[in-house]
Each structure stands twice: as structure tokens, then as C-alpha cells.
Amino acid sequence: MIESQDIVIVGATGNLARRRLLPALYDLEAQGHLPKRGRIVGAARRPMSAEAFRGMVAEAVKGARLPWDEKVWASFSRRLDYVPFTGEDLSGLREHLSEASRLVYLATPPAAFGPIVRDLASHGLTEGSRVVIEKPFGRDIVSARALDAELREVFDESQIFRIDHFLGKETVQNILVFRFGNSVFERVWNRDAIDHIELTVAETVGVEGRGDFYEGVGALRDVVQNHMLQILSLLTMEPPASFHAENIRDEKLKLLRAVRPVSPGEVVRGQYTRGRIEGREVPGYRDEENVAPDSETETFVALRLWIDNWRWAGVPIYLRTGKRLPRTATEIEIAFRDVPTSYFAGTFVHQLQPNQLTLCIQPSESIQFSFLAKKPGPEIEVEPVTMRFDYEAAFSVEPAEAYERLLLEAMEGDHTLFVRGDSVEQAWSVLQPVLDAPPPLRFYPAGTWGPAESQALVAPKTWHLT
Ligand code: BG6
């Protein structure tokens, strides 16, 4: 357990802090994982007393994973403090700190990152600080480099924790264990055995009142550049020399370097229009709050990419993400190659469904393997059957929220689950051709699987997740 550390949340009254960070910190308190000594200092522009901040946090932690508990709240609320700041001036912060080391979480719009870290430095708070930066890390390769340069003026890479909360999800972490802990799969994890890979991050939600953030960002920058390319690198990288943070991060970078920059001709961008989700009428994106009526921002992306290395040459990889789709699910589909059907000549079997491995990241955290079995009866007939591993059934525990895990790792100074600056840049360069020449925007009614053009992308196959 960590002896002492303060936690500073800059942007403490914002969406991210209220919906994810404060509930996760409460959950950590409930599990006895917060430092023995240390405050949680909220900093934001809004003038507010520490008392009022505690009231806001009490509301926010109702959304925590673990139930409300008076005793937990008593010890948690004793840590809470608040400091309003104007401009980017955090001069008031020092007197609210109680410990020599601290985790500073920048839950602010990206434009504020640079000025805030400079301000921390000017108040002598660089030493003893670790800084957590929320995505998006820039909006293209040029701005990502500029942001990195600003951070590196003040902090050493070892003090910087770039967060991608998908890396904190149990099932994402399990990708490496699954691949490198089970020899049977690693042997077939290559172009000889795999036909194609599909990764879908589908959400039924729209922009959830975050129109001001989402406008001009869009699905490519919001989800593909970070969450999806991070999952992809874990899924396809070479085995690292060990589970040590830098070994894993080196392999992820190497993989991203092998990804061919995506061609705009292999990308479909979509935007949702009015439609129905779960029986409810929902507005189109252009009618959402703080969204321009002629917005060109995409809420859906499907793309095909290629990894030009020994293991993956020639294997198409399909990525798809969107808002207002019919289901909320993050799934990886590994489709193995067909077998020759000649063996079945003269039987009722004319077509064989290839083996499929499905890694369900959320919401049903599970792994399924489908293979063919002979249907009972006198004739040779086959049918796909499934073997399924379910997290909750196997371990009888509810996985922790990603932010719980990541906050704890950052407090402990472990970089394994955080993204290194060079990988961020590399991920931008994979997408840069599409950012430079975005393909035309297509439209899809809310509640459908995106524009029809996204089907053409995978033809003659079809998307697995529907
Ligand atoms: C965030 C995106 O990073 O991830 C959101 O900004 C998206 O647009 C969210 O909804 C999805 O995360 P999760 O954990 O709810 O699947």
C-alpha cells in the first residue's frame, strides 16, 4: 500500500471527473487501496467552497461501482479539498497539499494541458509530481508533437502517464495473457492460419451532451486513434521479452510502425440521423446540443488496414466504431482460414464455416471459440458449435472499473498500462492520410449498423458483430 500521496484533479467539476474519476477513487477507498495519507484536491475554474465540492462529490460517487457506505464516505470525504483557479494560475494549490508527492490528473480540455503544466513548474511543483494526461493527445501528428514538447519541457517521460482507459479494462489486459500464456493459440496467431480480423467498438449512446467536445473531434480521433489502435497493437504485436512496461511498450510501438498508413479509399465515415434506439426516438447528430446544423463530424468509422510485417502480411484487418448503433459491444473477431471442402465431397456438406475466436471485451466479458461438429444422425452433416468462457461465471467477481485500475497504477508509478509518447505519434501517422483527405461523409439512421458503404468494405464477407 502507498504510504502517502496527494491526488490533484484539475478539471474536477467536469464530466470526466464526476462520471469516472471520483467514483473510481471512492471505489479505491472502499477497497483500502488509496494511500494511507493524502488528500484529494479538486481544482477547477468554478468558485466553490470545499464543503460545496464535497456535496458535488457525494452526488458523483452514487455512480460508483461499489455501494454507498457511510464509513467509506467518512474517510473518503475527509480527504477532499477544493481550490478554484483563474486562467491557468494554480498558485493557490501548494497550500492545499499535504504530502511530498502527488498525482496530478489533467481532466481538462487539451488546450489547457500546456499552460497548466507550465504553471505547476513555475510554482515548483514539478518535483514529486506524476501527471496523468487524458486523451485526445493532440488532433494530428503535428499537434501531438507540439503537446509532447510542451510536456517534456517540464516533465521527464517517467513522470508522464498518458491514459487510454481501454487499457485498464480486464478483458483488454487479458489479451496478452491469452496469447502468450496458451501455446495452442500463439502457434496459429499469424497469416498462415488467420483469414481476417475484425474489431468493433459499438455504442448505442449518442454524444451524451458532449457536443462541444465531440464537434471537430469525431469517431476517428475519439476512438480509432487511441482505443482501437491500442487494442490492435496488443492483439497483433510480437511477444515482448518480458511483462516489464518498457518491453511491452516497445513491442506495441514496433507493431504500429508496421501498420501501413490507412488509405482514405479504405475508410467509410458516417454520421447518424434521426432514428430509433431500443424503441425510443432519438435526434440526429446535427440536432444535438452544441453541434453545428451542417456539421461534417463523423460519428461512425469503418476502415480496412494492413500490417506490413512477417506475421500479418496480406491479412485484412477491419475496424469499426460508431455511436447510435443498435448494440453496445466491444468485440474482437479472429476468423481462421477455410479448410478445403474436398474431403466432404459426396456428403451433404457443401460449405464449411471457418473457426472463429471471439474476444468480447464488453459488456459480456467472455471468450468464445466456434468449431464444427457432426450433427447426430446417419448422414454427414456439420454444424457450428461454441465453447465459451465467461469471466463472471469463472471467477465470480465483477471486474474493477478501468479507471480504478489505472489510477492505482499511476499512483504506484507503473507505466505498463499507459501509452508512451512515441506510440501516440505513430498512431497519428497511421491515420494521417485520412485526416488530410477525409472521405465523404455518409449518413445512417440511428439504430442501424452505419452506412451501407461499410458493408462493401468487407464484402464478400459480412461484419460478424450485428
Ligand atoms: C471515450 C470516448 O474515450 O470512450 C467516448 O471519448 C466513448 O466517446 C467512451 O463513449 C467509451 O468508453 P467505455 O468505457 O464506456 O466503453
Side-chain angles (χ1 to χ4, degrees):
M1 191 188 200
I2 306 161
E3 279 298 314
S4 65
Q5 195 170 127
D6 288 322
I7 300 165
V8 179
I9 304 180
V10 188
T13 56
N15 211 332
L16 175 73
R18 281 182 290 130
R19 281 175 48 185
R20 307 259 192 167
L21 305 181
L22 292 162
L25 287 170
Y26 174 89
D27 287 332
L28 288 174
E29 175 83 89
Q31 295 163 91
H33 290 329
L34 284 187
K36 274 196 199 147
R37 294 189 313 278
R39 294 188 180 158
I40 299 175
V41 185
R45 294 225 162 84
R46 197 187 300 176
M48 194 194 289
S49 66
E51 206 39 55
F53 180 60
R54 276 182 212 115
M56 189 205 91
V57 179
E59 262 316 295
V61 303
K62 287 188 184 145
R65 180 173 64 87
L66 299 171
W68 174 267
D69 180 305
E70 281 301 334
K71 263 168 88 183
V72 173
W73 172 249
S75 54
F76 188 63
S77 60
R78 265 199 300 277
R79 296 176 187 267
L80 296 170
D81 196 0
Y82 184 77
V83 49
F85 67 97
T86 44
E88 264 73 39
D89 179 11
L90 279 165
S91 52
L93 181 59
R94 185 179 275 282
E95 63 201 61
H96 291 259
L97 299 172
S98 66
E99 308 302 324
S101 70
R102 69 208 66 88
L103 188 72
V104 182
Y105 201 119
L106 302 188
T108 61
F113 294 164
I116 289 174
V117 297
R118 273 198 298 276
D119 198 62
L120 287 172
S122 71
H123 294 102
L125 290 172
T126 318
E127 209 183 301
S129 287
R130 294 199 184 105
V131 64
V132 184
I133 313 278
E134 254 302 329
K135 60 169 261 286
F137 314 109
R139 46 176 295 107
D140 54 20
I141 190 153
V142 175
S143 53
R145 278 194 188 132
L147 170 60
D148 225 49
E150 280 189 298
L151 292 174
R152 298 291 282 276
E153 252 173 49
V154 174
F155 290 108
D156 184 75
E157 178 70 26
S158 66
Q159 294 174 284
I160 304 173
F161 291 74
R162 297 175 194 79
I163 206 163
D164 182 314
H165 79 279
F166 269 51
L167 295 179
K169 294 181 193 270
E170 279 291 346
T171 31
V172 171
Q173 289 168 48
N174 190 46
I175 294 173
L176 294 189
V177 173
F178 180 79
R179 285 189 57 196
F180 302 128
N182 298 293
S183 70
V184 65
F185 291 109
E186 187 47 26
R187 276 162 217 275
V188 293
W189 215 256
N190 54 51
R191 67 193 155 104
D192 295 333
I194 292 177
D195 182 77
H196 67 274
I197 296 178
E198 169 186 330
L199 166 58
T200 295
V201 177
E203 298 181 285
T204 53
V205 291
V207 282
E208 300 178 286
R210 296 191 306 156
D212 47 353
F213 157 76
Y214 201 83
E215 267 291 84
V217 172
L220 201 64
R221 291 184 170 92
D222 187 38
V223 174
V224 180
Q225 190 270 347
N226 30 73
H227 304 327
M228 297 187 90
L229 290 183
Q230 285 300 315
I231 295 181
L232 180 75
S233 49
L234 292 174
L235 194 68
T236 53
M237 71 187 210
E238 293 302 310
S242 75
F243 257 79
H244 182 269
E246 292 318 315
N247 287 336
I248 294 181
R249 302 202 307 171
D250 285 348
E251 292 303 333
K252 284 168 63 183
L253 173 65
K254 238 170 75 189
L255 184 281
L256 287 173
R257 284 189 177 141
V259 177
R260 196 186 302 169
V262 176
S263 150
E266 294 186 284
V267 178
V268 176
R269 291 167 68 239
Q271 188 188 81
Y272 63 82
T273 55
R274 196 149 53 89
R276 291 184 83 76
I277 295 265
E278 289 152 358
R280 198 164 47 88
E281 183 89 22
V282 295
Y285 177 69
R286 290 178 176 181
D287 296 324
E288 301 272 13
E289 207 182 321
N290 298 326
V291 168
D294 55 354
S295 171
E296 286 286 311
T297 300
E298 80 281 346
T299 59
F300 174 98
V301 178
L303 62 87
R304 183 169 53 221
L305 65 75
W306 305 91
I307 303 175
D308 290 330
N309 67 10
W310 197 265
R311 189 186 281 264
W312 296 113
V315 177
I317 300 186
Y318 301 101
L319 307 187
R320 178 178 58 159
T321 184
K323 296 206 180 279
R324 290 290 190 220
L325 300 187
R327 277 175 63 192
T328 293
T330 298
E331 280 192 20
I332 301 162
E333 177 70 24
I334 314 283
F336 290 90
R337 288 197 184 280
D338 291 329
V339 292
T341 46
S342 53
Y343 166 69
F344 294 95
T347 69
F348 285 99
V349 181
H350 301 297
Q351 216 192 345
L352 294 170
Q353 184 184 304
N355 295 135
Q356 284 173 349
L357 180 73
T358 309
L359 309 181
C360 304
I361 306 292
Q362 58 186 16
S364 69
E365 285 124 344
S366 61
I367 297 179
Q368 293 174 40
F369 184 61
S370 85
F371 57 99
L372 295 178
K374 180 184 170 303
K375 246 172 111 176
E379 306 293 352
I380 296 289
E381 283 185 71
V382 296
E383 208 165 279
V385 290
T386 303
M387 286 197 294
R388 183 183 162 96
F389 149 75
D390 186 280
Y391 260 77
E392 237 178 296
F395 295 116
S396 311
V397 286
E398 188 196 358
E401 284 294 331
Y403 278 98
E404 287 173 50
R405 177 72 195 268
L406 293 172
L407 282 162
L408 192 57
E409 299 280 305
M411 281 186 262
E412 286 172 348
D414 187 333
H415 276 96
T416 313
L417 302 178
F418 295 86
V419 188
R420 215 166 52 191
D422 47 12
S423 276
V424 171
E425 274 189 32
Q426 196 56 39
W428 281 119
S429 60
V430 165
L431 298 179
Q432 199 59 46
V434 188
L435 299 175
D436 290 342
L441 191 66
R442 317 278 177 190
F443 295 91
Y444 62 99
T448 64
W449 283 104
E453 288 79 359
S454 69
Q455 297 301 334
L457 201 64
V458 293
K461 300 176 276 271
T462 51
W463 291 95
H464 171 80
L465 183 73
T466 50

